[in-house]
Amino acid sequence: MRKKFAVFASGNGSNLQAIIDAVKSGQIKADLALVFSDKQKAYALERARTAGIPILYLDIKAYADKQSFERDIVMKLKGYKIDFIVLAGYMKLFTEYFIHEYPNKILNVHPSMLPLYKGMESIKEAFAGKAKSTGVTVHFVDEKMDHGPIILQEAVPIETNDTLEILEAKVHAVEHKIYPHVIALFAEDKIRLKNGKVEIEE
Ligand code: GRF
């Protein structure tokens, strides 16, 4: 059966856009049923509106604690019958409660070859550190930041002529290519996690 998924985004949403396009083109055979943001002004919400996708914005400050915020999100996700969650520039960590509600059903994309360069400045750090290459990782999400079983990685060489802006564009282009690919496989049950090991059926 065709699955339903939600994208969580806090910012620009260029990955969300690549996902919207991949659903439209039929590459991802699942329904993008909801875009959630914790930031009212996230451009990602604008992209969702333009694409006619239902949006949900909740402000954590309106809740007593993170778990009550997450409980409200889960209630809404259940209302939309969401099967899996795709993080695309979502800037909050989850509590154990949320992870256990969607076990092995939350994906994330990160602009480095994890475990290298965790955090928000990954591309900058690789560039400033004069690394020979960096890359992109798609992984399952757990409670820790940029952590969890790795599904797919692709390296991005850093050329001597690259500026930070050029490198950022190269890394994002790889994200926009491999993330929809992984989501497409996941939506068709071609990615499985067995004893902490990822198996991909291409
Ligand atoms: C991407 O680089 C993604 O890997 C990271 O946050 C950034 C989000 O960019 N997790 P965008 O909002 O998808 O344009």
Side-chain angles (χ1 to χ4, degrees):
M1 216 181 75
R2 206 172 154 95
K3 291 190 170 63
K4 289 185 177 195
F5 70 105
V7 171
F8 283 29
S10 304
N12 171 34
S14 69
N15 279 284
L16 167 66
Q17 191 62 55
I19 295 163
I20 291 173
D21 296 345
V23 171
K24 265 199 197 139
S25 76
Q27 184 194 3
I28 296 175
K29 294 179 183 59
D31 296 324
L32 175 43
L34 181 70
V35 171
F36 170 71
S37 186
D38 59 328
K39 299 269 181 274
Q40 194 168 21
K41 295 214 169 92
Y43 187 60
L45 290 178
E46 209 44 55
R47 296 182 192 264
R49 265 187 216 108
T50 305
I53 299 159
I55 61 172
L56 173 67
Y57 155 70
L58 296 175
D59 182 2
I60 195 166
K61 288 193 227 81
Y63 298 83
D65 53 31
K66 196 179 214 176
Q67 225 191 82
S68 349
F69 169 67
E70 290 182 344
R71 280 188 190 282
D72 208 8
I73 301 175
V74 167
M75 209 176 71
K76 302 273 185 346
L77 294 177
K78 290 198 169 148
Y80 281 94
K81 301 204 175 350
I82 296 299
D83 297 299
F84 69 96
I85 297 165
V86 167
L87 307 185
Y90 183 66
M91 295 306 178
K92 279 191 174 56
L93 292 176
F94 295 110
T95 68
E96 240 173 75
Y97 154 73
F98 191 91
I99 302 287
H100 288 161
E101 284 288 327
Y102 289 90
N104 305 328
K105 287 188 165 42
I106 312 173
L107 310 179
N108 186 40
V109 65
H110 183 76
S112 79
M113 297 291 270
L114 289 174
L116 293 175
Y117 306 114
K118 293 181 180 176
M120 283 171 63
E121 305 289 340
S122 332
I123 307 177
K124 249 184 221 157
E125 283 172 17
F127 184 77
K130 304 208 183 318
K132 288 204 164 54
S133 71
T134 183
V136 172
T137 302
V138 180
H139 64 100
F140 284 107
V141 170
D142 62 18
E143 298 88 344
K144 297 186 204 131
M145 185 182 66
D146 301 326
H147 190 268
I150 289 172
I151 302 170
L152 191 67
Q153 293 187 302
E154 185 170 318
V156 176
I158 305 179
E159 316 284 351
T160 36
N161 290 337
D162 282 351
T163 59
L164 176 60
E165 291 69 30
I166 292 173
L167 181 61
E168 281 171 345
K170 285 183 184 172
V171 170
H172 293 314
V174 171
E175 292 185 324
H176 302 160
K177 180 186 74 176
I178 73 168
Y179 207 18
H181 175 64
V182 169
I183 297 165
L185 292 172
F186 189 77
E188 293 180 59
D189 289 320
K190 290 180 175 162
I191 297 175
R192 284 177 287 270
L193 193 59
K194 278 192 195 142
N195 305 323
K197 281 199 104 188
V198 174
E199 291 178 359
I200 304 180
E201 189 190 309
E202 294 259 12

